[in-house]
Amino acid sequence: MARFSFRLPDIGEGISEAEIVAWHVAVGDRVEEDGRLADMMTDKATVEMESPVAGTVVELAGEPGDQVAIGATLVVIETEAEVVQPAEPERVEAENPGVEEVASEPAPAVPIEERAPEPAPEPAPAPSRERATTLASPAVRQRAKELGVDLASVRHEGPHIRHADLDAYLRYGSAQGYHAPNASRARADEVVKVIGMRRRIAENMAAAKRHIPHFTYVEEIDVTALEAMRADLNAGRGSRPKLTLLPLLIVAICRTLPDFPMLNARYDDEAGVVTRSGRVHLGMATQTDAGLMVPVIRDAQDMNPWGLAGEIVRLAEAARTGKATSAELSGGTITITSLGPLGGIATTPVINRPEVAIIGPNRIVERPVFRARAGGGEEIVKAKLMNLSISCDHRVVDGHDAASYVQALKRLIETPVLLFAD
């Protein structure tokens, strides 16, 4: 028998350590050659580590959430035959068939607590107010216990508490807040370690709020005509994907951005350089079981609504199943985030750093509005209205520019035939 130390290989250029996201083995488990050992996360991707040898696992480097340095021992495996230990850790390339890559958005190296805090001790129960002089029969005491009533709080006449006194307390005392329910709806505290994707999201959001002076502008937009056009397009779509509101909004966003290049940009605040992109690589905030991910629609400016609808479905599915690549999760120039029917009245979205703007359509509601009659005067009609939010980096985007952009977007959305005009 011999022991083989599997050292963490170089899994990314410039990476000095990686986080243990999940173990696929435990001490004492038998692992085969090319068997799964662990998922390791760097700033750029989650990489699945596979065993180069067969044997029994005898040591693991740590727990999920721990950081392991490149070249340090990750797993010790007891083998039946001598195995040549590699002199240096091998580099794992993206095309290596033994490594499955599940990418995540690069995150700034913002230190956070490595472990969840210990739960606070439960407060000591309040001492009972029941006095030794409180007299009651065993039946009354049992009933009071089942009801959660402190007998010391029950007013009574005579030397002892009777059922009638307890009934009176329940009728009148509980109305004054004296009666506690007999069963608490409280649940036990739950301690959840912030690791893996959730840690990356926490780091990204903290860095964005710490470094970027956000401001948010909200405007109400009438989408009645846009929704009517969407219904007509879906009625005659044939084999093409069904259109939601999102592809049409993206078309409008792409058509208005050329006049507002300061919004379609990335800001390298360390170098003091803003890069205004000539293409729209639009990030699409997507909720997954692992947390919020932002796959990127490349060259959205060149796609029609049906092409965008298909790409939205493809990227959302890739993100939710963990199959999105690193390239599909990075390089965005502006982001759109929508909660659909849960969108609320207005949102203040957080910018996806190093981008400088993020757009958030909110829930559509029907309300009465005044409209001008063709022959003069006004009438009250039912309209579909939606608030549109935009958050911008005030270091490089002025409030006037953000407001002007949203007004241009509003004009295009409220006259949707222009979406298909050259």
Side-chain angles (χ1 to χ4, degrees):
M1 305 291 286
R3 290 197 170 193
F4 176 83
S5 294
F6 177 70
R7 302 180 186 279
L8 182 63
D10 185 354
I11 54 180
E13 183 176 354
I15 301 300
S16 61
E17 61 183 9
E19 177 187 344
I20 302 171
V21 176
W23 286 112
H24 297 298
V25 294
V27 173
D29 285 356
R30 170 76 184 180
V31 64
E32 301 299 328
E33 186 174 348
D34 297 329
R36 299 166 71 194
L37 292 174
D39 292 340
M40 305 296 295
M41 174 175 280
T42 69
D43 287 346
K44 298 183 178 180
T46 298
V47 181
E48 184 177 279
M49 308 311 301
E50 298 180 347
S51 176
V53 298
T56 302
V57 176
V58 294
E59 290 182 22
L60 299 178
E63 300 178 354
D66 291 348
Q67 299 283 343
V68 179
I70 299 299
T73 297
L74 183 66
V75 182
V76 177
I77 301 171
E78 192 171 69
T79 63
E80 297 178 356
E82 292 288 340
V83 179
V84 177
Q85 187 79 39
E88 296 180 359
E90 299 176 356
R91 179 179 178 81
V92 177
E93 301 292 347
E95 63 269 19
N96 188 338
V99 176
E100 179 183 351
E101 181 172 308
V102 182
S104 63
E105 179 71 7
V110 181
I112 63 172
E113 292 295 331
E114 291 292 336
R115 299 182 180 274
E118 292 295 328
E122 293 289 341
S128 172
R129 292 175 295 171
E130 186 172 354
R131 298 181 298 273
T133 56
T134 301
L135 301 177
S137 69
V140 171
R141 289 185 179 277
Q142 180 62 31
R143 184 182 174 206
K145 181 179 180 181
E146 291 174 353
L147 292 171
V149 174
D150 182 358
L151 287 178
S153 301
V154 179
R155 293 182 181 180
H156 60 93
E157 295 181 3
H160 62 274
I161 298 174
R162 302 170 300 170
H163 283 289
D165 299 320
L166 192 55
D167 290 339
Y169 176 83
L170 294 174
R171 282 196 302 271
Y172 305 112
S174 60
Q176 300 174 33
Y178 297 138
H179 174 49
N182 63 327
S184 173
R185 293 186 176 91
R187 296 183 300 173
D189 292 346
E190 182 181 6
V191 178
V192 180
K193 291 187 72 173
V194 181
I195 64 173
M197 181 62 68
R198 177 49 56 187
R199 176 185 286 178
R200 297 292 182 234
I201 294 170
E203 291 172 349
N204 280 340
M205 294 299 99
K209 292 297 288 185
R210 182 167 53 252
H211 292 283
I212 299 175
H214 286 62
F215 74 89
T216 300
Y217 176 85
V218 183
E219 177 61 283
E220 184 179 73
I221 298 178
D222 188 336
V223 295
T224 307
L226 183 66
E227 282 288 87
M229 185 181 74
R230 184 173 71 88
D232 291 340
L233 291 172
N234 280 329
R237 67 188 172 96
S239 60
R240 290 178 293 191
K242 184 177 180 179
L243 293 178
T244 63
L245 186 64
L246 193 56
L248 298 172
L249 290 179
I250 293 174
V251 172
I253 289 169
C254 292
R255 281 185 171 262
T256 48
L257 276 177
D259 293 332
F260 299 89
M262 72 291 293
L263 294 171
N264 188 41
R266 294 166 67 90
Y267 180 30
D268 184 342
D269 48 7
E270 293 184 359
V273 175
V274 177
T275 301
R276 296 179 173 180
S277 178
R279 299 178 175 181
V280 181
H281 299 317
L282 191 135
M284 179 183 68
T286 304
Q287 189 64 41
T288 74
D289 290 342
L292 190 68
M293 302 179 72
V294 188
V296 176
I297 303 172
R298 301 281 171 184
D299 290 307
Q301 78 282 345
D302 295 333
M303 296 185 184
N304 62 32
W306 293 278
L308 287 167
E311 189 68 353
I312 288 169
V313 171
R314 185 190 73 80
L315 286 172
E317 180 65 17
R320 293 190 181 106
T321 58
K323 296 180 180 178
T325 65
S326 180
E328 290 172 332
L329 290 167
S330 59
T333 58
I334 191 170
T335 292
I336 187 168
T337 176
S338 172
L339 292 173
L342 301 176
I345 297 173
T347 52
T348 56
V350 178
I351 297 168
N352 188 23
R353 191 171 179 251
E355 298 168 20
V356 300
I358 182 169
I359 297 171
N362 299 286
R363 185 178 67 240
I364 296 174
V365 297
E366 289 188 332
R367 289 205 302 268
V369 298
F370 287 97
R371 288 264 175 84
R373 287 195 181 98
E378 292 183 326
E379 61 180 347
I380 298 177
V381 299
K382 184 169 65 174
K384 294 182 177 180
L385 305 175
M386 178 189 75
N387 287 341
L388 187 79
S389 304
I390 184 170
S391 292
C392 299
D393 186 336
H394 219 330
R395 297 173 299 179
V396 294
V397 179
D398 295 330
H400 181 272
D401 292 330
S404 298
Y405 172 73
V406 173
Q407 293 304 319
L409 195 59
K410 175 183 172 77
R411 286 191 291 272
L412 193 58
I413 291 173
E414 292 185 342
T415 313
V417 68
L418 297 177
L419 296 176
F420 297 93
D422 292 333

